[in-house]
Amino acid sequence: MPLLYIIVFKYVPMLGNIIAFKQYSITKGMFGSPWAGFTHFERFFNSHEFWRLLTNTLSISFYTLVASFPFPILLALGLNYVKNERFKKTVQMVTYAPYFISLVVVVGLLFQFLDPRTGIVNHILGWFGVDPINFMGEASMYQTLYVGSYVWQNVGFACIIYLAALAGIDPSLHEAAVMDGANKLQRVRHIDIPGIMPIAVILLILNTGQMMETGFEKILLMQNSLNLRTSEVIDTYVYKVGLVSQAMNFSYATAIGLFKAVIGFVLLIIVNQTAKKVGQESLW
Amino acid sequence: MQQHSTIRESGSDRAFTIVNYVILSIVLLIILYPLIYVVSASFSSSYAVLSGKVWLWPVEPSLDGYKAVFKNKNILTGFQNTLFYTIAGTLINVIMTILAAYPLSRRDFHGRNVFMLIFVFTMMFSGGLIPTYFVVKGLHMIDTVWAMLIPTALSVWNVIIMRTYFQTTIPHELLEASQMDGCNDFRFLRSIVLPLSGPILAVIALFYAVGHWNQYFNAMIYLKDPGLYPLQLILRDILVQNEVKIDMLGDVKTAAARQGLRELLKYSLIVVSSVPLLIVYPFVQKFFVKGVMIGSIKG
């Protein structure tokens, strides 16, 4: 049964990508529709949306990757040196919690806090004589808000794996270091960080592979007509062209989606090769 | 009083500890504050919320927001639907995952590597939005509960986690011994493997349940009948698209009061929709590290 599922819901859609090369019409079906070659791809590359979509997609993904990578590591390193068990447990409990809150609610929270009239952030700014800012309507703020809320939601959960890795470090290394007169900062630098390096690299590779995938649902939720300039990415565009717009164009949307998948795949290979060259772990 | 046998912390170490505690406390506050604020706001009066008087604890306590939430029919149906999708969906997920993970964990399973490759490949390359939509449409699942349950029936990532768990914790000798005693594969899976896999089953089930509880996108593209809408979709209309219909607020007269109750309703709704999961997760929390860690080990 699982195999059947995988074939029907994963491989059949892959095959379904052929409509990217066809002039799909509902009446003729997937196989009856005439071939269109690369016309859909060409149309996309030549459209005035192309560069904006590509840069938005890459910049949001890259920004998320860079910003979300160090925080869990720092949190884990910090927690590792906390002796008070109760404090440690509290911090962990609280930092995990946002992970279980749905994207809809997280975006809802953003809207509530940043609302120009009723939000608490603008209330506070008001005391300093700052006029209310319509954060969600500012295209220039969009990506920072997206990434910031992403880190807020995921830092605690992502830190679990580093904590586990830190717990796996041989305690005799620490004892020896203390004997040699190393202080805590030196121990972090020379024992802990090298100790979690392999896991960090693997996670970085995995995250890079997912770079083109993540966040689509949240990006869509946070989008409005005012911030579209910086918030429209390939995925949301595919969704709109393929499923929402008046004149649905399945073939065109599929072609764009396929283009994105190929970029993601190429990125994954590049990162993996780089990691191999540097002499670190790699996925294969 | 420092005892002689312990090494005294040096100055730099003490500084490190203090800085560490301060930073962690700030992190704690940043993450905790929005959560506390939401809960407090939901229990305050609408006037206090609108005028920004709520800081930490509820001001002029009231239950108006919750009354509005529980009076609303859409929200209640959404809640029921989500409950159903979460329970049924998680059940399907867990069964499918076991069925996939168990054979893949057996060393004597022919063609194991080929199947593994078939599974893992889908993690790196997927069919895309539109073709997947066509498959669901072709199976006539649009606008049925199946659209919420079947397309997400299995996560390859969780299969790998479970497979690795089976491989590392259940010794091969156990299988041999039970086969000697005339135990077949299904019996072995049911009476030996599963009882030994409690922690991983709990973690996997929680992961899936969280996914179902928070699912809105599939509902958005596959469902048209509002009677099938999960809670998240209704939340999206109210929280993100700000579509609070007047009749949701009952018999509120003035525009200002309506505006206030509208905000209050949102805070209460956030609490109501998030609390169930936040209650469950501390119970499963102790298994997390194990579960997440196993997933990271290369099989």
Side-chain angles (χ1 to χ4, degrees):
Chain A
M1 254 197 346
L3 198 63
L4 187 72
Y5 166 80
I6 288 281
I7 288 170
V8 171
F9 284 99
K10 302 286 178 185
Y11 283 93
V12 171
M14 274 187 223
L15 209 68
N17 273 323
I18 58 164
I19 66 168
F21 303 98
K22 290 194 164 199
Q23 198 60 54
Y24 183 79
S25 88
I26 300 173
T27 43
K28 287 180 196 147
M30 196 178 285
F31 296 99
S33 302
W35 289 98
F38 284 93
T39 47
H40 297 300
F41 293 93
E42 278 164 18
R43 185 179 146 203
F44 180 52
F45 296 149
N46 292 327
S47 80
H48 63 282
E49 305 273 17
F50 176 71
W51 283 108
R52 195 173 55 103
L53 288 175
L54 192 65
T55 39
N56 280 346
T57 308
L58 290 176
S59 70
I60 290 186
S61 322
F62 192 68
Y63 194 176
T64 314
L65 191 71
V66 171
S68 65
F69 183 64
F71 287 109
I73 298 181
L74 293 175
L75 183 62
L77 288 174
L79 281 172
N80 199 36
Y81 283 92
V82 170
K83 287 226 182 65
N84 183 336
E85 275 298 313
R86 263 194 53 211
F87 182 69
K88 193 174 173 180
K89 281 267 150 61
T90 316
V91 174
Q92 279 185 281
M93 282 274 275
V94 169
T95 47
Y96 294 168
Y99 182 82
F100 294 93
I101 296 174
S102 74
L103 287 176
V104 179
V105 167
V106 170
V107 176
L109 282 175
L110 268 182
F111 276 67
Q112 287 305 100
F113 281 103
L114 301 176
D115 189 280
R117 273 177 306 145
T118 58
I120 186 162
V121 173
N122 275 312
H123 271 298
I124 296 171
L125 288 179
W127 299 342
F128 300 101
V130 181
D131 287 328
I133 302 169
N134 184 7
F135 288 97
M136 296 312 296
E138 288 285 336
S140 58
M141 302 243 190
Y142 181 86
Q143 300 198 351
T144 303
L145 289 175
Y146 172 82
V147 174
S149 55
Y150 180 89
V151 172
W152 180 81
Q153 189 175 16
N154 291 297
V155 66
F157 203 75
C159 135
I160 294 178
I161 198 157
Y162 294 113
L163 273 180
L166 284 173
I169 292 174
D170 190 351
S172 63
L173 285 176
H174 280 290
E175 282 162 23
V178 173
M179 284 298 174
D180 292 344
N183 64 25
K184 285 184 179 169
L185 211 57
Q186 285 167 328
R187 275 155 63 196
V188 167
R189 238 185 82 196
H190 297 288
I191 301 174
D192 292 336
I193 293 184
I196 56 176
M197 230 13 210
I199 288 214
V201 171
I202 285 208
L203 285 182
L204 192 63
I205 298 173
L206 280 175
N207 290 344
T208 314
Q210 297 281 301
M211 203 165 113
M212 305 295 279
E213 300 293 331
T214 47
F216 157 52
E217 300 189 0
K218 191 170 153 203
I219 291 173
L220 196 65
L221 279 171
M222 285 174 65
Q223 220 167 50
N224 59 40
S225 52
L226 292 172
N227 61 32
L228 212 54
R229 187 164 56 80
T230 50
S231 68
E232 187 83 296
V233 295
I234 294 177
D235 276 322
T236 55
Y237 189 68
V238 169
Y239 168 71
K240 283 171 194 164
V241 171
L243 295 177
V244 186
S245 80
Q246 296 296 312
M248 286 189 253
N249 192 333
F250 296 126
S251 287
Y252 185 46
T254 309
I256 301 171
L258 191 60
F259 166 72
K260 191 211 70 171
V262 170
I263 295 187
F265 199 60
V266 171
L267 270 177
L268 184 68
I269 291 171
I270 292 174
V271 175
N272 199 49
Q273 291 301 328
T274 321
K276 244 186 212 167
K277 277 229 179 74
V278 186
Q280 289 284 355
E281 314 268 329
S282 72
L283 277 184
W284 62 81
Chain B
M1 281 280 281
Q2 281 283 336
Q3 283 179 340
H4 283 289
S5 56
T6 56
I7 301 170
R8 264 170 59 96
E9 283 205 328
S10 68
S12 62
D13 274 359
R14 229 174 303 153
F16 177 91
T17 309
I18 293 167
V19 171
N20 191 16
Y21 272 88
V22 169
I23 292 177
L24 285 176
S25 305
I26 294 173
V27 171
L28 187 71
L29 276 183
I30 292 176
I31 294 184
L32 193 58
Y33 182 70
L35 304 176
I36 293 181
Y37 178 83
V38 169
V39 176
S40 296
S42 73
F43 283 109
S44 300
S45 77
S46 54
Y47 169 74
V49 172
L50 270 190
S51 56
K53 279 190 184 155
V54 179
W55 266 117
L56 192 59
W57 304 121
V59 178
E60 301 166 29
S62 87
L63 288 173
D64 293 348
Y66 290 94
K67 277 184 203 149
V69 167
F70 288 108
K71 252 193 265 166
N72 188 284
K73 263 204 205 91
N74 289 341
I75 295 173
L76 288 182
T77 356
F79 216 93
Q80 281 166 2
N81 287 336
T82 292
L83 211 60
F84 169 74
Y85 295 141
T86 303
I87 293 171
T90 306
L91 210 65
I92 295 176
N93 287 146
V94 171
I95 292 171
M96 291 282 277
T97 308
I98 294 170
L99 288 180
Y102 176 66
L104 287 172
S105 74
R106 285 277 294 269
R107 261 170 282 174
D108 53 345
F109 176 52
H110 287 292
R112 184 171 80 137
N113 291 331
V114 179
F115 285 112
M116 198 61 203
L117 197 70
I118 292 176
F119 275 73
V120 172
F121 184 67
T122 64
M123 289 172 80
M124 287 184 268
F125 205 78
S126 67
L129 178 66
I130 308 292
T132 311
Y133 178 82
F134 272 114
V135 170
V136 177
K137 201 176 172 192
L139 293 169
H140 301 289
M141 284 185 186
I142 300 286
D143 227 10
T144 67
V145 291
W146 301 112
M148 291 298 290
L149 303 176
I150 303 300
T152 52
L154 189 73
S155 140
V156 175
W157 182 244
N158 289 341
V159 169
I160 294 177
I161 293 181
M162 194 178 273
R163 181 199 72 134
T164 313
Y165 185 90
F166 287 161
Q167 267 175 357
T168 48
T169 55
I170 293 160
H172 196 59
E173 290 75 23
L174 218 54
L175 174 68
E176 282 167 0
S178 55
Q179 276 173 339
M180 290 283 189
D181 294 338
C183 183
N184 68 22
D185 286 339
F186 283 104
R187 180 83 198 276
F188 180 68
L189 176 64
R190 209 185 56 215
S191 349
I192 296 178
V193 176
L194 293 184
L196 286 174
S197 310
I200 197 70
L201 288 175
V203 171
I204 298 279
L206 183 79
F207 282 163
Y208 281 126
V210 171
H212 282 291
W213 188 271
N214 293 339
Q215 173 68 265
Y216 84 93
F217 187 69
N218 282 352
M220 187 169 84
I221 56 177
Y222 297 139
L223 298 181
K224 289 183 191 74
D225 175 9
L228 294 174
Y229 279 3
L231 188 59
Q232 297 298 331
L233 214 52
I234 292 157
L235 276 176
R236 185 189 67 125
D237 290 345
I238 296 175
L239 291 179
V240 178
Q241 302 189 327
N242 208 5
E243 286 169 9
V244 184
K245 293 179 191 78
I246 309 281
D247 58 311
M248 277 188 192
L249 303 175
D251 48 345
V252 179
K253 305 284 182 307
T254 65
R258 223 178 279 145
Q259 164 72 11
L261 191 55
R262 183 198 293 245
E263 295 307 312
L264 204 53
L265 174 86
K266 289 182 188 171
Y267 286 115
S268 309
L269 197 51
I270 289 173
V271 174
V272 169
S273 66
S274 306
V275 154
L277 280 184
L278 293 180
I279 288 176
V280 176
Y281 102 87
F283 295 105
V284 196
Q285 192 198 3
K286 58 180 172 199
F287 302 129
F288 274 163
V289 175
K290 227 178 193 173
V292 175
M293 200 53 207
I294 285 163
S296 71
I297 300 169
K298 279 211 281 186

